[in-house]
Amino acid sequence: MKFTLERVHYMPKDLKPGVLYVSEEFDIAIHLCACGCGSKVKTPLGPTEWLIEETKRGPTLRPSVGNWHQACRSHYNLDGGEIIWAKKWTPEQIASGRRLEEERRRAYYDALDRKHRGMLQSIWFWLKRLFRD
Ligand SMILES: [Zn+2]
């Protein structure tokens, strides 16, 4: 199945298979599971979530989509509009996938925090320099 990208403001009630609906306002993409089971797959977009890249061939979604909470448990990559099937996840992989996701988020917010502290520090050095003379 080829996927195409459709930009929307609000998500339509009836989703068409093979369409990746993207709402930039709400930072979310939704599509019907590529296996055909009819489940709606929501992928939040953002630096610690999923990223969408529009290519000439079709949309690319990163990282892979793992529908471990759906009955079908399908796992695939959407790459240039093409579905590339990946191995179904074992319960251990599901658990480590969740852990990785949390770590990724933590690392991101830690980095933001460090950047923030770094900024405060340079303001502090600047102030110190002002008062030194
Ligand atoms: Zn499915």
Side-chain angles (χ1 to χ4, degrees):
M1 192 201 294
K2 272 293 259 180
F3 267 79
T4 54
L5 190 139
E6 204 173 304
R7 288 177 195 284
V8 292
H9 186 71
Y10 293 107
M11 286 300 164
K13 259 206 189 107
D14 296 310
L15 304 179
K16 279 179 277 173
V19 180
L20 181 68
Y21 296 90
V22 177
S23 168
E24 271 164 11
E25 288 92 335
F26 298 105
D27 288 328
I28 194 160
I30 297 182
H31 68 278
L32 289 179
C33 178
C35 85
C37 67
S39 321
K40 281 184 190 176
V41 181
K42 292 182 192 171
T43 45
L45 306 176
T48 64
E49 311 287 342
W50 275 268
L51 295 171
I52 287 177
E53 195 193 324
E54 258 187 293
T55 74
K56 271 188 201 135
R57 294 173 294 134
T60 292
L61 189 61
R62 287 274 178 273
S64 66
V65 178
N67 296 331
W68 17 268
H69 45 273
Q70 312 284 7
C72 67
R73 293 236 173 138
S74 45
H75 180 205
Y76 48 86
N77 283 283
L78 179 57
D79 193 292
E82 257 0 293
I83 293 294
I84 295 156
W85 292 95
K87 279 207 189 100
K88 288 196 179 171
W89 293 13
T90 62
E92 295 79 48
Q93 282 174 312
I94 291 170
S96 73
R98 282 199 174 126
R99 258 199 312 275
L100 268 178
E101 212 168 272
E102 276 162 29
E103 273 164 30
R104 196 152 48 97
R105 253 173 230 153
R106 205 171 318 124
Y108 175 76
Y109 289 110
D110 279 356
L112 270 189
D113 204 40
R114 266 198 303 276
K115 210 166 112 191
H116 186 71
R117 272 202 304 266
M119 213 162 66
L120 285 178
Q121 209 163 50
S122 44
I123 292 172
W124 171 241
F125 286 140
W126 177 74
L127 281 174
K128 269 209 303 213
R129 224 174 305 140
L130 273 184
F131 289 110
R132 204 169 42 196
D133 305 318

